[in-house]
Amino acid sequence: MYYNSNNDSHSQEPWDRPIETTGRSLDNEYVPDEPGHSGKKKGRGGKTVALCLVCALVGGLVGGVGATAATGGLSGGTTTIFEGERAPTVVNVAQVNGKTLLTAPEIYASFVGSTVGITTEVVTTNSWGQPVSAAAAGSGFVITNDGYILTNYHVIDGAQSIKVAFVDGTTYDAVLVGGEEENDIAVLKIDATGLTPVIIGDSDNIKVGEQVVAIGNPLGELTYSMTQGIISAKDRSITMQNGEVMNMLQTDTAINSGNSGGPLFDMYGQVIGITSAKLSSSSSSSEATIEGLGFAIPINDIKDMVQDIIAHGYVTGKAYMGITVTTVPESDAQRYGMSQGALVKSVDESSCAAKAGLQKGDIITAIDGTTVLSSAELVEAKKEYKAGDIVTLEVDRSGEKLTLTLTFDEDTPERRAAQEAAQEEEAQQEQQQSQQGSSDFFWPFGGLSPWFY
């Protein structure tokens, strides 16, 4: 099971409770804190102190260049504590030219100011029909100096309001310029100028084994965190939680809830991916247990789409059929004596599908000779075409084999909105017919969600 790592970051886990410390102990001897500091740490400061203590216990004491003697409480002898010294690391903002390898600190210093935390307000309806408002968190990054920001579509999906925050504490209200749900990208705009954009790289040039770093907001609370790993694989076909199949870069870089939409950098300081998902053994992001399997959208896959969204508000030239479909599973196909494929749930009467002769209840089994066994396979096949392309569909209509010729329309926001409205109306009609105990169409797959095409 794969899930999108965008939100659900507002639940408090047991380790979120502040831990208070009043000093540290060595050989049963109490050693007070440094002068000028109270022994008590509160809130996040307490977490930091506790973490340092744990690390010391796990790592042990190693030799250094200085020593301090302390009296042992039990043995009566002395215990030596070694203290190391080193010059502070000087990290400069690096000049990204695509030729010079950078260190992780240089990449962070250069682009943490280009990474944003995204908070959205989503209003849903509870089981009593009452509106409920909830906050969700994700990440994004600046792509132009005049305020365009790229993130994942699932980060802002259904949001009534969107805010972005920078590392210096500055926050802005953002508006949605446009999004592409199938490819999980969205472009936001804030009223700001003089920003520092990231440098877009070439994801085709990245090699398996190369190091990469990510900056984002895991859990929506550990803001502007950097994680590091390698590219584990390229061109992974990953089925997301919503059923979409996407091409992904696989990485062992830590990606968690709240990281979605953040940048994945190569070690030249260029963005080669958008962190989007991780593998989970559970359908709930809060119960994910599998580690080291994260995924990012290759930046080359969506470069042109982003430019289209900025210029037009949507991705132009996309193929549109004007139907909703769902999968006929193999087991149900055998049970009901149907062909396996993509079952047409509804047809937009003004679309190319209607002009081609597609009808509700048809099962699409092939497109241009390529077998279609599911709605997901039809999605993947359709991505290879543009508006105006002509294809041949093989269709099973109540056992009769048909061949239909279809010329794709262009997928526009207006067409999509009209189809969604038509589907909602049809769903209401079907519900009424079901309550009345009648229906003009036998639909054995009521539990399966249809896809838009």
Side-chain angles (χ1 to χ4, degrees):
M1 176 70 71
Y2 296 87
Y3 76 88
N4 296 325
S5 56
N6 63 316
N7 48 33
D8 294 332
S9 55
H10 35 271
S11 62
Q12 188 175 26
E13 296 293 339
W15 51 81
D16 284 336
R17 294 193 295 270
I19 300 174
E20 296 185 347
T21 62
T22 56
R24 55 195 184 278
S25 175
L26 180 64
D27 289 345
N28 297 324
E29 174 105 341
Y30 175 81
V31 182
D33 285 319
E34 295 178 4
H37 292 76
S38 67
K40 209 169 191 179
K41 305 291 184 181
K42 295 184 178 179
R44 295 193 176 184
K47 296 182 190 177
T48 303
V49 173
L51 181 60
C52 291
L53 293 175
V54 171
C55 291
L57 290 172
V58 172
L61 296 174
V62 289
V65 297
T68 302
T71 301
L74 296 178
S75 63
T78 60
T79 299
T80 302
I81 301 175
F82 291 92
E83 295 180 333
E85 294 181 1
R86 59 166 285 183
T89 300
V90 178
V91 179
N92 298 316
V93 174
Q95 182 67 36
V96 177
N97 56 22
K99 299 178 181 179
T100 304
L101 282 170
L102 308 178
T103 65
E106 286 174 335
I107 295 173
Y108 186 84
S110 300
F111 295 112
V112 67
S114 307
T115 306
V116 300
I118 298 176
T119 304
T120 65
E121 182 182 17
V122 180
V123 178
T124 58
T125 303
N126 63 19
S127 56
W128 291 278
Q130 299 170 329
V132 178
S133 178
S139 305
F141 53 97
V142 177
I143 55 175
T144 69
N145 59 11
D146 59 345
Y148 284 96
I149 293 170
L150 182 60
T151 186
N152 282 142
Y153 184 88
H154 71 258
V155 170
I156 53 82
D157 188 17
Q160 275 67 46
S161 65
I162 306 171
K163 289 185 179 294
V164 301
F166 287 81
V167 69
D168 63 1
T170 307
T171 61
Y172 295 89
D173 291 323
V175 296
L176 176 63
V177 177
E180 170 59 25
E181 185 174 8
E182 287 184 8
N183 292 280
D184 199 19
I185 58 171
V187 177
L188 310 178
K189 180 69 169 66
I190 61 174
D191 186 12
T193 57
L195 302 176
T196 301
V198 300
I199 306 299
I200 303 298
D202 185 347
S203 55
D204 289 342
N205 286 341
I206 197 76
K207 304 297 183 184
V208 173
E210 283 193 45
Q211 288 190 331
V212 289
V213 296
I215 303 176
N217 302 283
L219 308 183
E221 296 181 357
L222 303 175
T223 53
Y224 312 106
S225 297
M226 171 178 273
T227 54
Q228 186 169 15
I230 63 169
I231 294 295
S232 305
K234 298 176 64 174
D235 298 321
R236 291 292 199 200
S237 292
I238 302 301
T239 302
M240 308 301 288
Q241 191 176 31
N242 63 359
E244 293 280 3
V245 178
M246 298 185 63
N247 176 54
M248 292 281 197
L249 295 171
Q250 180 184 329
T251 177
D252 65 354
T253 306
I255 297 174
N256 289 286
S257 177
N259 274 113
S260 276
L264 184 69
F265 295 92
D266 64 16
M267 299 313 292
Y268 294 90
Q270 300 178 329
V271 174
I272 49 88
I274 307 173
T275 58
S276 297
K278 70 178 293 185
L279 178 63
S280 173
S281 61
S282 168
S283 60
S284 171
S285 62
S286 63
E287 298 177 5
T289 57
I290 297 174
E291 300 300 332
L293 290 176
F295 298 93
I297 302 170
I299 202 70
N300 284 16
D301 288 3
I302 51 88
K303 282 180 181 178
D304 293 341
M305 298 180 192
V306 172
Q307 293 177 353
D308 260 357
I309 292 173
I310 292 175
H312 306 286
Y314 69 99
V315 178
T316 61
K318 280 186 58 182
Y320 177 79
M321 294 179 69
I323 60 176
T324 59
V325 297
T326 192
T327 297
V328 179
E330 183 179 4
S331 58
D332 289 327
Q334 294 175 354
R335 178 181 178 185
Y336 295 103
M338 307 167 69
S339 295
Q340 191 176 356
L343 179 61
V344 177
K345 181 73 164 58
S346 66
V347 180
D348 178 358
E349 294 302 322
S350 64
S351 69
C352 60
K355 295 174 184 176
L358 272 174
Q359 299 178 8
K360 180 178 180 179
D362 286 349
I363 301 174
I364 300 174
T365 58
I367 178 170
D368 273 350
T370 300
T371 300
V372 172
L373 297 177
S374 66
S375 55
E377 290 186 4
L378 184 59
V379 170
E380 285 303 297
K382 185 175 71 70
K383 288 179 181 178
E384 300 299 320
Y385 300 95
K386 298 290 185 181
D389 289 347
I390 301 173
V391 296
T392 299
L393 302 177
E394 295 178 24
V395 174
D396 182 337
R397 180 177 296 165
S398 301
E400 181 182 2
K401 308 301 181 184
L402 303 175
T403 300
L404 305 178
T405 301
L406 179 145
T407 303
F408 283 113
D409 292 327
E410 183 182 31
D411 192 353
T412 64
E414 293 76 17
R415 276 201 171 107
R416 186 59 64 100
Q419 187 176 17
E420 289 177 353
Q423 191 204 15
E424 289 181 5
E425 182 179 354
E426 183 178 9
Q428 292 175 357
Q429 292 175 354
E430 289 183 356
Q431 185 177 9
Q432 292 174 356
Q433 290 175 348
S434 176
Q435 291 173 349
Q436 297 170 359
S438 64
S439 176
D440 61 352
F441 176 62
F442 176 60
W443 181 253
F445 315 110
L448 300 178
S449 300
W451 291 52
F452 293 109
Y453 291 93

